[in-house]
Amino acid sequence: KQLVRHLRNHQILQRAFSSTDKKITTELYSAEYKESKIYQYFCYVEFKESDEFFWVTFSSQPSYMKKNFKMLESIIDSFEIEKGGEK
């Protein structure tokens, strides 16, 4: 909450991508913090066959995010929950 007070020019750039076994809600924000531009990526992941969920947040410089965005989506989509001690 403290960080949000210091952000300027905060705007949503992108939302959502899909997955077969998860409902993934995402928002990518652009903002300025201490004279630098940053991207913040928030993901809320719900598993369709379970009540399990988790949050993922990632902040970086825009150049890194643009270069690695597909990799981040792939990592998020690869998460699985354990069922009975097995993945």
Side-chain angles (χ1 to χ4, degrees), residues 21-84:
D21 62 339
K22 300 169 206 63
K23 178 181 177 189
I24 302 171
T25 305
T26 66
E27 290 191 351
L28 175 63
Y29 290 88
S30 171
E32 293 176 10
Y33 178 69
K34 292 186 178 180
E35 307 304 320
S36 295
K37 190 169 190 173
I38 61 170
Y39 277 4
Q40 295 176 297
Y41 189 47
F42 298 94
C43 303
Y44 177 67
V45 182
E46 300 171 88
F47 291 90
K48 293 178 181 176
E49 302 294 322
S50 170
D51 291 336
E52 301 288 333
F53 67 91
F54 64 91
W55 280 96
V56 176
T57 60
F58 183 78
S59 296
S60 75
Q61 295 175 332
S63 60
Y64 182 87
M65 182 71 76
K66 289 175 184 175
K67 186 170 83 172
N68 295 291
F69 195 75
K70 290 290 183 190
M71 177 190 64
L72 295 171
E73 285 186 341
S74 177
I75 291 169
I76 292 163
D77 193 35
S78 72
F79 286 117
E80 298 178 359
I81 57 172
E82 290 189 14
K83 297 178 183 176

Side-chain angles (χ1 to χ4, degrees), residues 13-26:
L13 298 178
Q14 181 266 348
R15 289 185 189 201
F17 73 96
S18 60
S19 174
T20 56
D21 62 339
K22 300 169 206 63
K23 178 181 177 189
I24 302 171
T25 305
T26 66

